[in-house]
Short mmCIF file of all heavy atoms in Angstrom, two decimals:
data_model
loop_
_atom_site.label_atom_id
_atom_site.label_comp_id
_atom_site.label_asym_id
_atom_site.label_seq_id
_atom_site.Cartn_x
_atom_site.Cartn_y
_atom_site.Cartn_z
N GLU A 298 52.59 -29.15 -17.61
CA GLU A 298 53.06 -28.98 -18.99
C GLU A 298 54.49 -29.51 -19.12
O GLU A 298 54.87 -30.05 -20.17
CB GLU A 298 52.97 -27.51 -19.41
CG GLU A 298 51.52 -27.05 -19.60
CD GLU A 298 51.34 -25.54 -19.61
OE1 GLU A 298 52.34 -24.80 -19.69
OE2 GLU A 298 50.18 -25.10 -19.53
N PHE A 299 55.28 -29.32 -18.06
CA PHE A 299 56.63 -29.90 -18.09
C PHE A 299 56.56 -31.42 -18.00
O PHE A 299 57.28 -32.13 -18.69
CB PHE A 299 57.47 -29.36 -16.91
CG PHE A 299 58.19 -28.07 -17.23
CD1 PHE A 299 57.65 -26.85 -16.88
CD2 PHE A 299 59.42 -28.09 -17.89
CE1 PHE A 299 58.31 -25.66 -17.18
CE2 PHE A 299 60.08 -26.92 -18.20
CZ PHE A 299 59.53 -25.69 -17.84
N LEU A 300 55.69 -31.92 -17.14
CA LEU A 300 55.67 -33.35 -16.85
C LEU A 300 55.05 -34.18 -17.98
O LEU A 300 55.46 -35.32 -18.22
CB LEU A 300 54.89 -33.57 -15.54
CG LEU A 300 54.99 -34.94 -14.88
CD1 LEU A 300 56.45 -35.32 -14.61
CD2 LEU A 300 54.21 -34.93 -13.56
N SER A 301 54.10 -33.60 -18.69
CA SER A 301 53.36 -34.40 -19.67
C SER A 301 54.11 -34.50 -21.00
O SER A 301 54.42 -33.48 -21.63
CB SER A 301 51.99 -33.78 -19.93
OG SER A 301 51.37 -34.48 -20.99
N PRO A 302 54.33 -35.73 -21.47
CA PRO A 302 54.98 -35.89 -22.78
C PRO A 302 54.10 -35.41 -23.93
O PRO A 302 54.59 -35.23 -25.05
CB PRO A 302 55.22 -37.40 -22.88
CG PRO A 302 54.36 -38.03 -21.85
CD PRO A 302 54.05 -37.00 -20.80
N LEU A 303 52.81 -35.15 -23.64
CA LEU A 303 51.93 -34.61 -24.68
C LEU A 303 52.21 -33.13 -24.92
O LEU A 303 51.83 -32.58 -25.95
CB LEU A 303 50.46 -34.75 -24.28
CG LEU A 303 49.93 -36.14 -23.97
CD1 LEU A 303 48.50 -36.05 -23.46
CD2 LEU A 303 50.02 -37.03 -25.21
N VAL A 304 52.85 -32.49 -23.96
CA VAL A 304 53.01 -31.03 -24.02
C VAL A 304 54.47 -30.63 -24.13
O VAL A 304 54.83 -29.71 -24.85
CB VAL A 304 52.39 -30.37 -22.76
CG1 VAL A 304 52.40 -28.86 -22.88
CG2 VAL A 304 50.96 -30.86 -22.53
N ASN A 305 55.33 -31.34 -23.39
CA ASN A 305 56.74 -30.96 -23.30
C ASN A 305 57.51 -31.51 -24.50
O ASN A 305 57.63 -32.72 -24.66
CB ASN A 305 57.30 -31.52 -21.98
CG ASN A 305 58.73 -31.09 -21.72
OD1 ASN A 305 59.45 -30.72 -22.65
ND2 ASN A 305 59.15 -31.18 -20.47
N ARG A 306 58.01 -30.61 -25.34
CA ARG A 306 58.80 -31.01 -26.52
C ARG A 306 60.26 -30.61 -26.37
O ARG A 306 61.00 -30.55 -27.35
CB ARG A 306 58.27 -30.33 -27.79
CG ARG A 306 56.78 -30.38 -27.96
CD ARG A 306 56.37 -31.57 -28.80
NE ARG A 306 54.93 -31.61 -28.93
CZ ARG A 306 54.21 -32.71 -28.76
NH1 ARG A 306 54.77 -33.87 -28.48
NH2 ARG A 306 52.90 -32.67 -28.87
N ARG A 307 60.69 -30.29 -25.17
CA ARG A 307 62.04 -29.78 -24.98
C ARG A 307 63.08 -30.87 -25.24
O ARG A 307 62.82 -32.06 -25.02
CB ARG A 307 62.22 -29.24 -23.56
CG ARG A 307 61.35 -28.05 -23.25
CD ARG A 307 61.54 -27.59 -21.82
NE ARG A 307 62.77 -26.85 -21.66
CZ ARG A 307 62.87 -25.52 -21.70
NH1 ARG A 307 61.79 -24.78 -21.89
NH2 ARG A 307 64.03 -24.92 -21.54
N THR A 308 64.24 -30.41 -25.67
CA THR A 308 65.33 -31.36 -25.92
C THR A 308 66.49 -31.10 -24.96
O THR A 308 67.54 -31.72 -25.08
CB THR A 308 65.84 -31.21 -27.37
OG1 THR A 308 66.16 -29.84 -27.60
CG2 THR A 308 64.79 -31.66 -28.38
N ASP A 309 66.26 -30.19 -23.98
CA ASP A 309 67.33 -29.92 -23.00
C ASP A 309 67.10 -30.77 -21.75
O ASP A 309 66.36 -31.77 -21.78
CB ASP A 309 67.41 -28.41 -22.70
CG ASP A 309 66.14 -27.89 -22.01
OD1 ASP A 309 65.20 -28.70 -21.79
OD2 ASP A 309 66.09 -26.69 -21.70
N ALA A 310 67.69 -30.36 -20.65
CA ALA A 310 67.61 -31.14 -19.40
C ALA A 310 66.20 -31.15 -18.81
O ALA A 310 65.95 -31.86 -17.83
CB ALA A 310 68.60 -30.57 -18.38
N TYR A 311 65.27 -30.36 -19.36
CA TYR A 311 63.90 -30.28 -18.85
C TYR A 311 62.89 -31.01 -19.72
O TYR A 311 61.68 -30.87 -19.53
CB TYR A 311 63.49 -28.81 -18.66
CG TYR A 311 64.25 -28.15 -17.52
CD1 TYR A 311 65.48 -27.54 -17.74
CD2 TYR A 311 63.75 -28.16 -16.23
CE1 TYR A 311 66.18 -26.95 -16.71
CE2 TYR A 311 64.44 -27.58 -15.18
CZ TYR A 311 65.66 -26.97 -15.43
OH TYR A 311 66.35 -26.40 -14.39
N GLY A 312 63.37 -31.78 -20.71
CA GLY A 312 62.44 -32.49 -21.58
C GLY A 312 62.96 -33.86 -21.94
O GLY A 312 64.14 -34.16 -21.74
N GLY A 313 62.07 -34.72 -22.43
CA GLY A 313 62.48 -36.06 -22.87
C GLY A 313 62.15 -37.12 -21.83
O GLY A 313 60.98 -37.49 -21.66
N SER A 314 63.17 -37.58 -21.11
CA SER A 314 62.96 -38.65 -20.13
C SER A 314 62.08 -38.18 -18.97
O SER A 314 61.93 -36.96 -18.75
CB SER A 314 64.31 -39.09 -19.56
OG SER A 314 64.89 -38.00 -18.85
N LEU A 315 61.53 -39.13 -18.23
CA LEU A 315 60.73 -38.76 -17.06
C LEU A 315 61.57 -37.94 -16.08
O LEU A 315 61.09 -36.97 -15.49
CB LEU A 315 60.18 -40.02 -16.37
CG LEU A 315 59.34 -39.75 -15.12
CD1 LEU A 315 58.09 -38.93 -15.44
CD2 LEU A 315 58.95 -41.06 -14.43
N GLU A 316 62.83 -38.33 -15.93
CA GLU A 316 63.71 -37.58 -15.02
C GLU A 316 63.79 -36.11 -15.46
O GLU A 316 63.70 -35.20 -14.64
CB GLU A 316 65.10 -38.21 -15.01
CG GLU A 316 66.00 -37.52 -14.01
CD GLU A 316 67.40 -38.11 -13.92
OE1 GLU A 316 67.70 -39.06 -14.67
OE2 GLU A 316 68.17 -37.61 -13.10
N ASN A 317 63.94 -35.90 -16.76
CA ASN A 317 64.03 -34.53 -17.26
C ASN A 317 62.70 -33.79 -17.18
O ASN A 317 62.64 -32.63 -16.79
CB ASN A 317 64.53 -34.53 -18.71
CG ASN A 317 66.03 -34.76 -18.80
OD1 ASN A 317 66.71 -34.89 -17.76
ND2 ASN A 317 66.55 -34.85 -20.01
N ARG A 318 61.61 -34.49 -17.51
CA ARG A 318 60.29 -33.83 -17.47
C ARG A 318 59.88 -33.47 -16.05
O ARG A 318 59.09 -32.55 -15.84
CB ARG A 318 59.24 -34.74 -18.12
CG ARG A 318 59.28 -34.71 -19.66
CD ARG A 318 58.18 -35.56 -20.26
NE ARG A 318 58.49 -36.98 -20.28
CZ ARG A 318 57.81 -37.93 -19.62
NH1 ARG A 318 56.75 -37.62 -18.91
NH2 ARG A 318 58.19 -39.19 -19.70
N SER A 319 60.40 -34.23 -15.08
CA SER A 319 60.03 -33.94 -13.69
C SER A 319 61.00 -32.94 -13.03
O SER A 319 60.78 -32.53 -11.90
CB SER A 319 59.96 -35.23 -12.87
OG SER A 319 61.20 -35.88 -12.85
N ARG A 320 62.03 -32.54 -13.77
CA ARG A 320 63.06 -31.68 -13.16
C ARG A 320 62.49 -30.35 -12.65
O ARG A 320 62.81 -29.91 -11.54
CB ARG A 320 64.18 -31.41 -14.17
CG ARG A 320 65.44 -30.81 -13.57
CD ARG A 320 66.58 -30.65 -14.60
NE ARG A 320 66.91 -31.88 -15.31
CZ ARG A 320 67.66 -32.87 -14.81
NH1 ARG A 320 68.17 -32.76 -13.59
NH2 ARG A 320 67.90 -33.95 -15.51
N PHE A 321 61.62 -29.73 -13.44
CA PHE A 321 61.05 -28.43 -13.00
C PHE A 321 60.26 -28.62 -11.70
O PHE A 321 60.35 -27.81 -10.77
CB PHE A 321 60.14 -27.84 -14.09
CG PHE A 321 59.39 -26.62 -13.63
CD1 PHE A 321 60.01 -25.38 -13.58
CD2 PHE A 321 58.06 -26.72 -13.21
CE1 PHE A 321 59.32 -24.26 -13.13
CE2 PHE A 321 57.37 -25.60 -12.76
CZ PHE A 321 58.00 -24.37 -12.72
N LEU A 322 59.50 -29.71 -11.61
CA LEU A 322 58.70 -29.96 -10.41
C LEU A 322 59.60 -30.19 -9.20
O LEU A 322 59.37 -29.65 -8.11
CB LEU A 322 57.80 -31.19 -10.60
CG LEU A 322 56.56 -31.03 -11.47
CD1 LEU A 322 56.90 -30.84 -12.93
CD2 LEU A 322 55.63 -32.23 -11.31
N ILE A 323 60.61 -31.02 -9.41
CA ILE A 323 61.50 -31.37 -8.29
C ILE A 323 62.25 -30.13 -7.80
O ILE A 323 62.33 -29.87 -6.60
CB ILE A 323 62.52 -32.45 -8.75
CG1 ILE A 323 61.78 -33.70 -9.25
CG2 ILE A 323 63.53 -32.77 -7.65
CD1 ILE A 323 61.23 -34.61 -8.20
N GLU A 324 62.78 -29.36 -8.75
CA GLU A 324 63.55 -28.17 -8.36
C GLU A 324 62.67 -27.14 -7.67
O GLU A 324 63.08 -26.51 -6.69
CB GLU A 324 64.22 -27.54 -9.59
CG GLU A 324 65.37 -28.38 -10.13
CD GLU A 324 66.03 -27.78 -11.37
OE1 GLU A 324 65.49 -26.81 -11.94
OE2 GLU A 324 67.09 -28.28 -11.75
N THR A 325 61.45 -26.97 -8.18
CA THR A 325 60.53 -26.02 -7.57
C THR A 325 60.13 -26.50 -6.18
O THR A 325 60.12 -25.73 -5.21
CB THR A 325 59.28 -25.83 -8.47
OG1 THR A 325 59.73 -25.37 -9.75
CG2 THR A 325 58.31 -24.82 -7.89
#
Side-chain angles (χ1 to χ4, degrees):
E298 289 163 12
F299 272 96
L300 193 56
S301 174
L303 302 175
V304 186
N305 184 339
R306 313 267 179 226
R307 296 178 77 95
T308 53
D309 65 359
Y311 291 88
S314 64
L315 179 62
E316 184 179 1
N317 283 358
R318 282 183 280 118
S319 60
R320 193 176 305 282
F321 172 79
L322 285 69
I323 301 282
E324 289 179 349
T325 301

